[in-house]
Amino acid sequence: MTILKLFEYPHPVLKQKTEKVEKVDKEVKKLLDDMLETMYATNGCGLAAPQIGVSKKIVVIDIAHEDEEANPMYFVNPEIVWRSDETITAEEGCLSIPGQRAEVERAAAVKVKYLDYNGDEQEMLAEDFLAKAVQHELDHLDGVLYIDHLSRLKRQMLLKKLEKFRKENSGN
Ligand code: NI
């Protein structure tokens, strides 16, 4: 498996709409494996293909805690087919916006249809933290980042902090 390069804000690939995957073939499986490895290597709990520069509808998620067994979930061509009216608000971060977090309101539960690692159709009811992760990652497939859900003022403040964070961590 290979650890892939992460594309960060404001790379244009993060704003692109992604294309559907025709078939879950060897190439797609390799991408799923590499994305999972990359996500684990960066301590993320979700990763969408645009974040590794691939404009396709592919997502991996693992929300297991560090002291729990790994629980990788693979989503190809995922689509949210139902959202609860009830919402939850909690902090989110994103591997493409390093060092930052902000509160985002999301549906508390969603139903998602997708193809799994074997290319079989699945439907899943995701709740709470998993619901948030699914919505966050599927947003990436539409070129939407969590900061797009913030007010303009909050977004500007976060982007300033991101700039500062990058300067402090650039090593010069
Ligand atoms: Ni993200």
Side-chain angles (χ1 to χ4, degrees):
M1 284 193 259
T2 317
I3 293 179
L4 306 162
K5 176 184 162 344
L6 281 173
F7 287 65
E8 293 186 0
Y9 176 89
H11 195 287
V13 73
L14 296 170
K15 297 304 290 176
Q16 276 172 27
K17 282 228 169 197
T18 50
E19 283 180 12
K20 266 196 166 183
V21 172
E22 298 249 328
K23 194 169 171 260
V24 184
D25 54 15
K26 247 172 83 176
E27 207 182 311
V28 171
K29 283 182 187 180
K30 163 109 172 77
L31 202 58
L32 285 164
D33 293 340
D34 289 345
M35 282 173 63
L36 194 76
E37 192 72 4
T38 305
M39 182 184 83
Y40 287 150
T42 46
N43 289 319
C45 59
L47 187 68
Q51 296 182 274
I52 45 117
V54 175
S55 203
K56 283 187 180 163
K57 295 194 185 300
I58 302 175
V59 161
V60 294
I61 292 175
D62 189 340
I63 59 160
H65 289 284
E66 264 175 52
D67 55 353
E68 290 172 344
E69 218 175 297
N71 181 25
M73 289 181 253
Y74 307 93
F75 301 86
V76 177
N77 298 339
E79 208 186 318
I80 290 174
V81 293
W82 175 81
R83 290 168 198 268
S84 65
D85 292 332
E86 193 196 331
T87 62
I88 39 169
T89 302
E91 274 199 339
E92 293 182 24
C94 181
L95 294 173
S96 296
I97 308 171
Q100 311 307 314
R101 301 188 72 77
E103 285 201 333
V104 182
E105 185 180 14
R106 305 271 189 188
V110 294
K111 232 180 234 174
V112 56
K113 268 192 177 168
Y114 60 99
L115 301 177
D116 65 16
Y117 191 87
N118 297 313
D120 295 325
E121 272 188 39
Q122 301 288 350
E123 189 173 297
M124 175 196 281
L125 175 67
E127 295 173 293
D128 301 321
F129 192 72
L130 181 58
K132 284 181 67 67
V134 164
Q135 290 168 86
H136 177 116
E137 298 312 327
L138 267 63
D139 263 359
H140 274 296
L141 305 181
D142 292 325
V144 175
L145 301 173
Y146 80 88
I147 57 171
D148 296 324
H149 294 292
L150 306 178
S151 69
R152 201 171 63 170
L153 184 65
K154 278 190 180 163
R155 183 164 56 244
Q156 281 169 350
M157 277 166 54
L158 188 145
L159 292 174
K160 266 200 187 133
K161 283 199 296 178
L162 175 64
E163 215 176 296
K164 194 165 166 248
F165 177 86
R166 281 175 168 157
K167 269 188 201 144
E168 285 167 359
N169 290 278
S170 64
N172 53 41

